[in-house]
Each structure stands twice: as structure tokens, then as C-alpha cells.
Amino acid sequence: MPLNISFSIIKKIWRDLTERKARTILTIIGLLIGLWGVGSVLIAWQVLDNDLSENFTSTNPPAIILTLKSKPVQALTQSKNNAIPIKELATLQGIATLENRPVLTGRLEIYQDYWLPVVFSVVDNFSKINVAKIFTETATSPPQKNSFFIERDGLLLANWRLKMQVTGSEPHKAAKASHDSPRKTVPNQLLHFGDKPIKLRLKGGRQFNVELSGSVHDPAQAPSRMEQLIYGYVTTETAKSWTRGELVERLLVLPNHGYTDATSVRQIAVRLEEKLNELGYQVSKISFPSTTEHKHQFQMNSILFLLTGVGMLALLVSVVLVLNLINGILTSQVKQIGILKAIGATKFHIASIYLGSMMILGLIASLLAIPLAVGTGYVISAKIAAFLNFNILTTTLPFSFLLMLLVAGTTLPMIAAITPIKRWTQVSVISALQYAETTSSKNNVNLPLPLPINIVMGIKNAFRKPRRLLFTATTVAIGLITFMLAMNTSTSLLYTAEQEETQKRYDLMVLFEQPVKASRVTWMDKFSIVDHAETWKIKRATLIHSNQLDDEIRPLKLIPSASKVMRPFMLTGNWLNPEQAGGVVINQRISHGHSQYKVGEQLDVLINGRSMKLPIIGVMKEFGGASIYIREGDFLELFPNTEQLINSAFITLKEPNEKNLAQLKRLMDQHLTLADIGVSDMASAKKASRIIRGHLDVIVSALLLLALLMLLISTLGMASGISTSIVERTREIGILRAIGGKPTAIATILVTESMTMAFIGWLFALLLSQPTSKLMTEYFGTALVEYPFDYLGSSEGIYYSLFGAIVLVILATLGPIVSANQQSVQEAISYE
Amino acid sequence: MTTNISFNNIEKVYNTGAGKFSALSPLTLTLNAGDFIGLIGHSGSGKSTLLNLLSGIDHPSHGKAIIAGQDIGELSEGKLATFRGKNIGIVFQFFQLVPTLTVLENVILAMDLVNVIPKYSRKDRALMLLEQTGVKRHYDKYPATLSGGEQQRVAIARALANDPKILVADEPTGNLDSENSETIMSIFEECAKAGCLVIIATHEQEHQARFSRVLTLGDGILQNDTQYPITNTHRSDKLLKEGLCHAS
């Protein structure tokens, strides 16, 4: 039989919804919030997924990077011009573009005695970059001699401000606009930070005063704030003046057939290497960087995945609200359903009435939620884009996408309500006509407690309808779980930062540019403020997987027997000890992703050109890059003729504080300069914890905002549940009032009922929040910094959440109590 | 005479916690068009059970029920609902109008569900039925604003909306005063005279004289089946002329 939606049915649908406006509005608001939450994240995903990829691919990332060892002998003798024959190499088969982009490493003085590492890319022709493109933001090309452009994220890392006048957005104020948008700048004015040039120290100890002449955007790079590293860009002339012509050449290659054919790319690399060898150049390293995915695609996906999860939770609570509403409507209209069926309505007619109601709710909520979601989605996108240092390029969303959101939002409550609607449409006429809501004695709670009767009644009422109790407690629980999650995550992040600091029992770490004899730095522990100093050797190791060499070289850290600076947290196994001679300890960066790297297994490595298998005795938790630890003595047994040079030092202060640390850094700087020992990095032990804390605000702010959202929906859910309960018991409440019940007595019963449901919800939340928070904090850490954060529950979270539950009850119950007392006794008693 | 309802060995048995309970013992019955039948019995006599079976809203546990030529046991719930809408008008004791629809809309709803009366004439037909039941002036009001008698008259108009062959009413005057009761019973009587099979369940003795046939039930058994000669009231000719029950 074809479905017959008549005007009278449409009118019934509309009037059923408008009869109890408060409940309908509550449900629409609940749905709206859920749809808004999920919609925002979906829109952010739509924008970011496209834009991150576009930002990245717009740089024309190289498919191959070849790093050369040294100048060829023939080249030196044959020609004064030692430039690599780029044009000749570019004609090789398969190569679309080839550019030389050497790099220089050094340190910049950010402010007095505070240095940050810097990597300069040397650009031959700033106006003709075709591979690994950068986009000038606040300068005209190229940078003048002895000056550099800075990647814009480095400005935030260094907390610098460019003094050049610009129109258009400053970096990160709004990460908008494509690189094609014209920017007006004042013609090249050199800048000074604090009116002074910036000190630059290069490898080898040479120091210069340089100037900052502009900022660029390099979306292919990992953001400076994450890497704690500044990216700079200089001309060849400037680079040669700094390095006296000694540049490490680096060839970037774009294949002419695109990126997809990995085999062809490798063949190009082989051809190019052969050609270079012919020309007398030696290749020290070939790498095949990702050309399709940004380095932090995973991070972005993780953040969005997390936000989607929370959005889904909000939507789930909204669905529970809808279920509450439809159950309330259906149980109050059972007899009506029976009558309609008696006078000729089929179950399709009945279903269409109630599905129609749900569709209208969904449509109204969606029409309101989608514009909000678009706004919020762009805000989220801008924040994440700023975090990952790329520009938002998508300015309009496809109509089909918005339509899909509208359809999904409209049909969601219909889908949610299908089960209860189906149940009630299938009820027989006779059952429906004879239906009476009776309170089964099996749901009664026996409470032999000396409590006032009002409170006993309230508690018993909460258990009268187990399904409604479950729904309401669940909505409360979800809101409180999110709140506790925010509190627990905040506590855990702080705890992780503290734990990280306690693992590192030193105050300052120094990495030397070149290995030096230990005797040259014996003065380190002679400073009055120093308690202990020790030196390490760090070798290089390459992991072997399935008989193939890994692309990355890992540091192999040789720990002195009497080392005092490491107290690592072991995930499995033991730290280095004499009883397990020859064993190595790896950190979680190495063990993740390689299931064969666990305690008891062998670590397959290549050290000093020799492949060997070393037993893994422990896996430690460590913030930072992948590392392998071995006892120095064990290493010497494996390589007895190794020269005893050290390349790192660890220093502990007698009284660790910022003042002493600053003084130590100055002393080290001065003495190492005098000793002509180049330093590639000098970092306090708090560097890692600073990075962790740096993520704290963003994560916790986002979570707290979401928690408030969830608590709002929970309040709506509770209010809806209570108001439905009151309507169903209108006659009962009327009778209570008729036999002497004062408004305060009625209020006490209702508040007790709500408190009972909220308390049960709080208990659910308490039980579930701990394991959920633990999983979430580990996930955050792994997703953001590849280091699972340590979990510590927040005791304040427990108290605040209980307080929150009480506030929630008061807010949710206020309206229903007032309306229950407003109706006259006579109206209430005759209510059907 | 055209047979409208034929029950052959109908029985209704309920399974309760205390075992099987026979609400209606095996019963064979034939009811004809134009009969004005009263179902009389005390509470628990089985009269509501029989009425539910007669109106097709319940199924017999045993036996065959043929209503308006259709064996209702062969029909699915959906088809039975449509069959009821087309052939049987039901009036309930507590009116059971849809509270969120106006009086007029309640009557039109019955026609909308079944789709027998053409769309363009539904409103006019509904207004006519309301006029004939004396409640036309309340057509745009909601049921809650009407008195009990007025609501019952609207319910009758709704029951007649699709021009049914059978009209069934369960204690239609149970909640009404005597004046309204008389009016309602007169309306039913006229429908019977117009050729409808009208079955009324009632415990009110004063209405028995109106019926052409009285079925007396007790403890689920048909104790008495008495036929009476048809008498015209002073109103019947007037209403017949106006064509109360067959107005299409």
C-alpha cells in the first residue's frame, strides 16, 4: 500500500511537537549541539586534509635528495669554477628539475646566552625555485648579503617580531590566503632584533653578526616550534662568505613522470649517482623523502581523529536525547496509536507520523547547526593550520558536502528513533487500547533507611523506569567523563613533563660539532656551581630490517660505567648493567613499529661498517629521537681499536635554578670558544618538558571546551528526562498536592530523583574515566610527539565533577519543578 | 437480508498466570444489515470481548469470523486496519479523539487514512457529518474544549466518515448525561434504519427498548438472543430524508 501522508497527519506531527514546546526545544538544542560538534570537525577535516596536501605539494617536494661528500679532484684542477654542472645533470633521463640546495648548520643567539640551532638552506636563485619551493611573506627577494630569511614559524619559536611594515596577515594571526595573494611590503629594509644584529655561530666555531631581512613560508618543513629548530634561507654568496666556499652540496631532484613510480625514481637516483661518480663527485647519502604526505600529516589526522571522537560522543548524547523524547511521546500516545489503527491506520501511517516528527527535529537542528559548524570548522582549521604552519586555502565548501551534512543531520534522529517506533507501531490494537502505564512492583527499590519520605520517594522514583534511568545516567556520565578526561589529561601532561625531568639527572647537555679528546674538557667540573660533569661518546648505527638498511642513522650512545646522569624509566627489561654484558637498551621510538625489537631479541645493526647482532636487554621510555644505549666498556670490547674521543657532555649543577643554568651556559660558551671546540647544541634538560608543556595549553583548552559542551548536553538530557517523567506523573503529582503535599515537598521529591540519577551517572563516569583517560593521554602523547604521556589521575577532577553533577541537577530540574507546581490540582488530577 | 457478520464457533481464550481463561465460550452468530443490536451484560460478561471481535480489533482464539464477506483471520494487521477503516465505524467509550487535531480534522483524518472518499469532497463530507451530529459549530475547536456529549458526537461523525456497513460502539453513553445519551442513541438508531448494522454494548437498561435485537451475555456465554420488532421514532423520518448514514 502506498504511503499516504495526508495534511491531517502532517498537522498531527507538527502539533505533537509544539504541544510540549519546552521538551521539543530541549531536544532540538541537544541535537543542534551534537550536529554542530561533529559538523565542525568534519568541515575541519574536509578543509585541512585538502589544504595540508595542497600546501605541501605546492612546494614541489623533491623525490630524491643526494648529499655529496666533497669536491672532486678533477673539478679543482680543471676549472676555477667549482660549481656542479647542474644543467648537464638535469638532462639525464627521467629528471624534470634538478637544483642544488646546500645546507649549513649553526646556532643563532635568540637573546643573551640563549641559542637555538639553525639550518640554513642555500638558494642559488630566489626568483627561480622550482623544487622544494618557499614562499616569501614579508620581503622582496633575494636576501641581501650577510642577511637571511627566516621561516615564519621560527619567528614564533624565537619570539621575534619583524619590524618591516607589511599589509596582509602576519604569520599565524590567521593562517589564511594562498601564496598567490599579493602582499604589499615596504621595499627591502633590513631589520634588527633589538636594534642589534644577530649572532650566528657556524660549525667550526666561526661567528658572525647577521641580519634578518624577511620571512618566508616553507610548508614542507616540520614547524620550528615542534623541532625547536630555526630554518633560514640565504644566497649562495652569503653562504660562501660564511663558509669560505666550503658548502656541502645537496641535489634535489623532481622526476618528470610524477611521484608514483617508486622503481623509476630509484633508477633515476642510480643514474644520477653514476654520472656524479663519473664527474668525480662522491655521494654520501641518497634519500627518498615522502612526496605525497606532509611530515605531520599523522599528527593532524590524530588531532582530528580525537576531535571527531569527542564530537561523536556529543552526537551520541544528542541521540539519547532524541530517544528520550520519542519514548516519551510514544508512551503517552499508546492509546492514540490504538485508536488510529482501529479507524484504519496501518503501521506505515503510524511510523510516518513519528518518523516525520523526528525528521522535522533533525531538519531544524541541522539548518541551525550547519552554519555554526562552518564557522567553528574554519576556526578549528585555522588553529590546526597555525599549529602545523600551513595556510588555509579552501574558502568555500562544496555544496554537495553541505547537502550531505544536511541529509545526515535530518535522518539521524529518524534512524535513532526507528527501534522504539517499530516497537510501538507493531503493538496490537487491543494491547494499545488496554495499555496503562503501571508501575511494576519489581522495579521498586526497598529502602529501609531512616530517610524522610520525600527523599525515599525521590530515590524510588528514579528506579521506576530502568530504561529512562539508564538513558539519563548515561547522558550525565558522558558529560562528566569528558570533563574528568580534561582534568586527568592536564594532570598527566604536567606529570609527564616532571617525569621527563627526573629521568634526566643533568642540567645541561652539550653536543660538540666534532669529536674531541676528553682531556680537552676536563675543566668542566671545576666550576664552583657544577656538581658533576661527564662526557659521552655517541656513535652512529644503522638498523637492518629484513636484510635491508634503514634510511635513518640512529645515535648509539656509549654510557660510561660510572654514569650518574641517566635514570631512565624502563618499559620492559632492565637498564644497562654489568651482569648483562654486551646488551643494548633501545627507546620506544625504535621498538614502536618494529615488533621484533623487544627484550630477549637481537638488534640487527651496522656500526662502523660492520654488521652485528646485539641482544636487547631493555626498552626505555625517552622523549626525543630514536636512540640505542650500550655500556662503553662493552662497545670497546666489540671495537677495541676505537679512538677515545667524546662528542657530548652532561653537567649537573650543585643548586639547579635558572640563574645558575644561565651562568653555566655562559661559562661553557666562553670556555669552549677559547678551547676552539665547536658546539652544535647546548640544551637544558628541561627542553623536552618545555615541549610537552607547550602542547599542554592547546590540548587542555580544547578538551575543557568540549567538556563544557558535553556538560551542556548532559544538562539538556537530564532536563528532558525529568520533564518527561513529570508529565507522565502529572496525575500522581496532582494527587500528592491534593492530599497536602507542599511545593517544597514536590520539589524535594523531584530533586532527589534527579540527584539519584546524576549520582549514578557520576559513578559510571568515575569508573570509566580512569581507563579512558589513561588511553587518551597515551594516545595524545604518541600522536603529537611520539612519546606516550605518563598517566596520573586528577583528584580535583573527581571533586569538581561531583560538584558539576550537582550543579547540573539544579539547572536541569529548576524548570520542570516550576512547571509541575504551576498547574492547578484539578487540572493535574484530571490529566490523562 | 444481507448478512454482514457471521461468527462460526468463535471462542476467545486468554493465557494468564493462573492458566487459561475463556473470556468468550464457543459462539455461533449471524448479524444482518439494518439490525440495531444491543449487547447487554454486566462487567466481566464478555461483552467487550465480543465487541472487539465484532469490530475486528481482536482475533478469535478459535473459529471463523466473517465480516462484510471477508474472513478476517486471513488478513494481515495492515490489511485488517484498512478493512476496518473502510467497513467498520468504531465509537469508543472515552471518545478517543486525537487531541492535537481540531474537530473537523479528526473526522477528515479517518477519510485520509483509508482513501475511499475522494480528496476534494472530504472536507464537505466532514462538515455535513458534523452538522448531522449537531456539532458543526465546533468544527475548528480542539476536543479538550468540548463537553463529553459533544466529543462523543464528533466520535460518531468520525466513525461514519467512510460510510461503513457496520457501526460498533462500546458503552457510547457511559460518560454522558441522560439528555445526551438519548441524542446519541437516536443517531445510532437512524443509522440502523438506513441499512447499517449497528451494534452497541451497553449496561444501561433504559436503551433496551430501542434495539431490534438484544444479545445478553453472562460469564462469556450468550445467554439470550432476543429479536424485537422495529419501531420508528418521531425523528426517524426527518433524519432518513436527510440521509444521515448514507450521505455520499
Side-chain angles (χ1 to χ4, degrees):
Chain A
M1 164 162 309
L3 196 59
N4 181 19
I5 311 289
S6 64
F7 197 50
S8 51
I9 289 178
I10 293 170
K11 280 193 182 177
K12 177 172 163 40
I13 293 169
W14 181 253
R15 290 196 198 131
D16 279 348
L17 288 174
T18 52
E19 193 188 19
R20 288 195 188 126
K21 288 190 182 67
R23 186 174 64 178
T24 303
I25 289 171
L26 279 177
T27 309
I28 290 174
I29 292 173
L31 259 177
L32 186 153
I33 293 173
L35 291 170
W36 180 9
V38 167
S40 302
V41 179
L42 289 175
I43 286 169
W45 213 313
Q46 168 84 1
V47 169
L48 291 170
D49 206 32
N50 177 65
D51 290 358
L52 179 60
S53 178
E54 218 175 296
N55 268 254
F56 177 61
T57 54
S58 69
T59 65
N60 285 348
I64 309 164
I65 300 177
L66 288 100
T67 308
L68 305 187
K69 257 185 187 170
S70 60
K71 296 279 183 278
V73 174
Q74 301 106 293
L76 283 170
T77 54
Q78 283 169 8
S79 165
K80 283 184 184 174
N81 181 7
N82 295 328
I84 294 178
I86 298 293
K87 282 187 182 162
E88 185 186 342
L89 292 169
T91 60
L92 284 179
Q93 185 194 348
I95 295 179
T97 309
L98 187 140
E99 289 180 18
N100 187 14
R101 195 78 51 84
V103 291
L104 301 174
T105 55
R107 291 190 301 150
L108 282 173
E109 191 183 40
I110 306 304
Y111 53 82
Q112 193 179 3
D113 298 324
Y114 179 64
W115 297 75
L116 278 176
V118 60
V119 173
F120 289 105
S121 292
V122 181
V123 181
D124 203 32
N125 186 348
F126 272 82
S127 57
K128 213 179 168 189
I129 303 176
N130 292 317
V131 63
K133 284 173 155 182
I134 57 173
F135 306 98
T136 51
E137 295 236 314
T138 59
T140 54
S141 290
Q144 292 189 5
K145 196 176 173 193
N146 207 44
S147 76
F148 67 99
F149 289 166
I150 189 170
E151 207 289 323
R152 69 187 193 186
D153 208 61
L155 286 173
L156 290 174
L157 173 63
N159 202 22
W160 285 344
R161 281 211 165 279
L162 282 180
K163 291 181 185 173
M164 184 177 278
Q165 277 187 327
V166 216
T167 55
S169 47
E170 286 182 40
H172 302 289
K173 219 174 188 180
K176 288 183 192 166
S178 71
H179 295 118
D180 299 328
S181 305
R183 290 178 184 274
K184 293 179 192 168
T185 59
V186 174
N188 210 359
Q189 289 175 358
L190 292 179
L191 311 168
H192 304 276
F193 170 66
D195 294 326
K196 281 186 291 189
I198 305 163
K199 278 188 201 159
L200 165 67
R201 261 196 211 144
L202 293 177
K203 207 170 171 179
R206 276 166 282 181
Q207 186 163 310
F208 305 91
N209 290 332
V210 299
E211 280 158 348
L212 180 58
S213 51
S215 74
V216 300
H217 179 212
D218 188 353
Q221 296 288 4
S224 289
R225 284 171 296 158
M226 283 189 189
E227 304 296 300
Q228 292 288 297
L229 171 73
I230 289 178
Y231 301 103
Y233 304 84
V234 293
T235 59
T236 311
E237 188 192 0
T238 300
K240 282 184 176 174
S241 71
W242 289 348
T243 60
R244 297 177 199 149
E246 293 162 13
L247 289 173
V248 175
E249 315 289 359
R250 216 162 130 260
L251 302 180
L252 310 183
V253 181
L254 266 186
N256 60 13
H257 55 69
Y259 298 114
T260 50
D261 190 348
T263 312
S264 300
V265 165
R266 288 193 183 257
Q267 285 170 352
I268 293 169
V270 166
R271 278 198 289 275
L272 194 49
E273 189 180 10
E274 282 170 359
K275 184 69 181 174
L276 284 162
N277 289 338
E278 274 175 36
L279 293 170
Y281 293 93
Q282 278 193 319
V283 175
S284 65
K285 183 181 170 186
I286 304 177
S287 59
F288 302 93
S290 169
T291 52
T292 52
E293 205 175 79
H294 189 275
K295 286 174 197 178
H296 287 287
Q297 180 81 40
F298 174 71
Q299 274 200 350
M300 186 192 80
N301 289 349
S302 302
I303 295 169
L304 287 174
F305 181 72
L306 185 75
L307 290 176
T308 307
V310 181
M312 287 296 185
L313 269 181
L315 199 63
L316 177 67
V317 178
S318 304
V319 164
V320 171
L321 270 177
V322 164
L323 283 171
N324 220 0
L325 174 75
I326 192 63
N327 270 316
I329 291 175
L330 286 167
T331 50
S332 68
Q333 293 190 2
V334 176
K335 280 192 179 162
Q336 254 189 66
I337 291 171
I339 296 296
L340 287 170
K341 281 186 150 193
I343 65 172
T346 62
K347 56 185 173 189
F348 293 110
H349 287 119
I350 308 295
S352 71
I353 291 169
Y354 299 103
L355 286 176
S357 304
M358 296 298 101
M359 190 182 81
I360 290 173
L361 288 181
L363 184 63
I364 294 172
S366 299
L367 288 171
L368 294 170
I370 288 172
L372 292 171
V374 171
T376 321
Y378 269 101
V379 168
I380 295 172
S381 303
K383 293 274 179 219
I384 295 176
F387 185 59
L388 295 176
N389 191 31
F390 64 93
N391 290 345
I392 296 295
L393 304 170
T394 303
T395 50
T396 52
L397 294 165
F399 178 73
S400 55
F401 179 74
L402 295 173
L403 188 64
M404 180 207 72
L405 286 179
L406 182 68
V407 167
T410 304
T411 52
L412 177 71
M414 292 168 74
I415 294 166
I418 278 178
T419 305
I421 288 173
K422 190 179 170 193
R423 186 158 58 92
W424 288 108
T425 54
Q426 285 176 343
V427 72
S428 70
V429 174
I430 201 77
S431 305
L433 290 174
Q434 291 170 353
Y435 179 79
E437 283 208 78
T438 52
T439 307
S440 166
S441 60
K442 68 183 177 191
N443 289 336
N444 273 342
V445 172
N446 194 10
L447 284 173
L449 293 170
L451 293 169
I453 187 67
N454 293 345
I455 292 180
V456 171
M457 278 182 74
I459 296 172
K460 283 191 170 193
N461 282 343
F463 288 94
R464 268 163 81 166
K465 290 210 165 177
R467 191 174 283 158
R468 179 174 301 145
L469 171 63
L470 183 66
F471 278 162
T472 311
T474 304
T475 59
V476 170
I478 292 174
L480 293 177
I481 284 172
T482 317
F483 177 76
M484 285 198 239
L485 178 65
M487 300 292 294
N488 289 338
T489 305
S490 169
T491 308
S492 297
L493 257 65
L494 283 170
Y495 178 64
T496 304
E498 286 162 13
Q499 288 293 98
E500 175 58 32
E501 286 169 22
T502 57
Q503 276 197 82
K504 304 260 163 64
R505 304 180 80 187
Y506 60 86
D507 295 298
L508 186 70
M509 175 191 74
V510 183
L511 291 174
F512 305 122
E513 282 176 1
Q514 304 287 345
V516 299
K517 286 186 180 168
S519 55
R520 292 182 65 192
V521 293
T522 50
W523 42 264
M524 283 193 302
D525 61 359
K526 302 288 187 287
F527 298 126
S528 59
I529 55 172
V530 170
D531 178 52
H532 170 76
E534 64 182 64
T535 54
W536 288 12
K537 301 163 194 59
I538 301 178
K539 299 289 183 185
R540 293 175 177 202
T542 310
L543 296 176
I544 304 170
H545 315 294
S546 309
N547 299 321
Q548 286 203 349
L549 286 176
D550 201 8
D551 281 341
E552 301 272 341
I553 293 171
R554 311 291 180 187
L556 175 66
K557 298 179 183 176
L558 279 49
I559 311 293
S561 309
S563 174
K564 291 182 184 177
V565 302
M566 286 289 290
R567 196 181 65 170
F569 178 79
M570 303 307 297
L571 291 168
T572 52
N574 306 310
W575 180 234
L576 300 168
N577 61 77
E579 280 113 53
Q580 289 173 291
V584 295
V585 169
I586 57 176
N587 66 11
Q588 85 288 347
R589 277 283 195 116
I590 293 183
S591 65
H592 280 173
H594 297 289
S595 56
Q596 71 270 34
Y597 293 146
K598 52 189 181 193
V599 172
E601 299 298 329
Q602 302 286 317
L603 188 71
D604 217 342
V605 284
L606 184 77
I607 304 171
N608 290 354
R610 203 171 112 194
S611 69
M612 51 184 59
K613 291 183 193 296
L614 302 169
I616 300 171
I617 62 169
V619 178
M620 66 182 273
K621 192 173 172 186
E622 186 179 31
F623 189 85
S627 295
I628 309 164
Y629 293 85
I630 188 170
R631 284 172 67 238
E632 191 179 352
D634 294 337
F635 184 82
L636 290 173
E637 282 192 26
L638 293 168
F639 296 92
N641 298 319
T642 311
E643 206 177 358
Q644 296 306 299
L645 299 175
I646 55 102
N647 48 17
S648 59
F650 298 87
I651 305 152
T652 313
L653 292 165
K654 283 179 182 163
E655 284 178 33
N657 55 52
E658 286 301 318
K659 184 181 158 209
N660 285 342
L661 184 64
Q663 189 186 356
L664 176 63
K665 281 182 181 175
R666 274 197 297 277
L667 288 167
M668 290 298 296
D669 234 354
Q670 287 161 13
H671 283 73
L672 287 168
T673 307
L674 282 171
D676 199 23
I677 296 172
V679 171
S680 65
D681 194 13
M682 194 186 295
S684 86
K686 291 190 192 315
K687 179 180 172 183
S689 70
R690 207 182 299 126
I691 294 172
I692 294 168
R693 283 176 218 266
H695 286 90
L696 180 68
D697 289 338
V698 170
I699 294 167
V700 175
S701 305
L703 277 177
L704 276 173
L705 190 65
L706 288 164
L708 285 171
L709 194 77
M710 299 297 293
L711 284 172
L712 180 62
I713 302 179
S714 297
T715 310
L716 293 172
M718 167 146 271
S720 174
I722 286 293
S723 65
T724 305
S725 171
I726 288 171
V727 164
E728 286 172 1
R729 289 183 291 132
T730 301
R731 193 185 287 172
E732 180 188 317
I733 293 170
I735 290 168
L736 278 173
R737 288 169 63 198
I739 61 173
K742 293 181 205 166
T744 48
I746 307 298
T748 306
I749 295 169
L750 295 174
V751 168
T752 308
E753 186 178 336
S754 306
M755 283 287 190
T756 308
M757 289 197 272
F759 184 70
I760 292 170
W762 179 75
L763 284 176
F764 282 164
L766 202 61
L767 277 169
L768 294 171
S769 67
Q770 302 295 324
T772 317
S773 300
K774 187 168 189 297
L775 272 170
M776 200 58 73
T777 28
E778 283 176 7
Y779 174 80
F780 266 128
T782 310
L784 293 172
V785 293
E786 291 182 76
Y787 178 77
F789 292 146
D790 297 307
Y791 176 69
L792 184 69
S794 164
S795 52
E796 292 95 348
I798 297 172
Y799 304 127
Y800 289 149
S801 64
L802 183 58
F803 176 72
I806 293 168
V807 169
L808 197 149
V809 162
I810 293 167
L811 289 173
T813 330
L814 213 57
I817 288 173
V818 166
S819 80
N821 280 315
Q822 266 177 352
Q823 205 176 25
S824 73
V825 173
Q826 185 271 324
E827 278 171 345
I829 290 175
S830 56
Y831 177 82
E832 193 179 337
Chain B
M1 276 189 189
T2 314
T3 304
N4 270 12
I5 293 178
S6 173
F7 278 5
N8 191 6
N9 230 20
I10 289 294
E11 188 183 4
K12 183 69 184 178
V13 179
Y14 292 105
N15 287 321
T16 68
K20 289 192 180 182
F21 167 68
S22 180
L24 198 67
S25 296
L27 168 71
T28 296
L29 198 60
T30 302
L31 308 175
N32 300 308
D35 279 351
F36 187 28
I37 296 171
L39 278 182
I40 309 292
H42 295 295
S43 187
S45 61
K47 102 179 157 287
S48 292
T49 306
L50 180 57
L51 202 71
N52 289 340
L53 293 171
L54 289 168
S55 60
I57 63 174
D58 199 0
H59 290 279
S61 307
H62 306 286
K64 210 173 211 178
I66 297 176
I67 300 175
Q70 172 70 52
D71 181 352
I72 61 167
E74 291 173 357
L75 294 176
S76 64
E77 276 301 318
K79 287 190 172 150
L80 185 55
T82 311
F83 176 81
R84 268 198 305 272
K86 284 179 181 173
N87 296 287
I88 308 171
I90 306 174
V91 181
F92 301 90
Q93 182 181 4
F94 292 103
F95 334 132
Q96 304 294 14
L97 299 173
V98 178
T100 49
L101 294 177
T102 62
V103 162
L104 181 67
E105 287 163 353
N106 264 282
V107 180
I108 293 175
L109 176 67
M111 291 184 258
D112 283 347
L113 290 172
V114 171
N115 243 354
V116 167
I117 306 296
K119 235 177 194 166
Y120 56 84
S121 61
R122 287 175 195 173
K123 188 178 175 183
D124 290 335
R125 177 170 171 77
L127 286 167
M128 183 209 65
L129 288 168
L130 289 170
E131 183 172 15
Q132 286 162 355
T133 50
V135 283
K136 187 184 174 186
R137 68 186 182 285
H138 301 304
Y139 78 97
D140 58 346
K141 293 181 186 161
Y142 289 95
T145 62
L146 272 59
S147 70
E150 286 165 340
Q151 287 190 53
Q152 194 62 295
R153 283 190 259 179
V154 174
I156 294 171
R158 182 180 68 184
L160 296 172
N162 291 309
D163 197 15
K165 299 181 186 67
I166 301 162
L167 189 60
V168 172
D170 188 357
E171 302 279 1
T173 58
N175 290 314
L176 303 179
D177 57 44
S178 53
E179 190 185 336
N180 276 310
S181 296
E182 279 300 311
T183 310
I184 297 299
M185 289 307 290
S186 297
I187 295 172
F188 284 131
E189 197 173 3
E190 293 315 313
C191 287
K193 284 176 182 172
C196 209
L197 167 57
V198 179
I199 308 159
I200 313 280
T202 182
H203 63 268
E204 290 169 13
Q205 300 288 330
E206 60 266 34
H207 298 311
Q208 280 193 38
R210 290 178 178 267
F211 297 119
S212 65
R213 187 173 170 186
V214 173
L215 304 171
T216 309
L217 288 158
D219 296 325
I221 300 167
L222 181 63
Q223 292 174 339
N224 223 338
D225 182 354
T226 313
Q227 299 245 5
Y228 296 98
I230 296 166
T231 55
N232 283 325
T233 67
H234 69 280
R235 291 182 64 203
S236 62
D237 288 335
K238 182 169 177 278
L239 289 167
L240 268 172
K241 280 176 194 167
E242 287 170 8
L244 174 69
C245 293
H246 296 281
S248 59

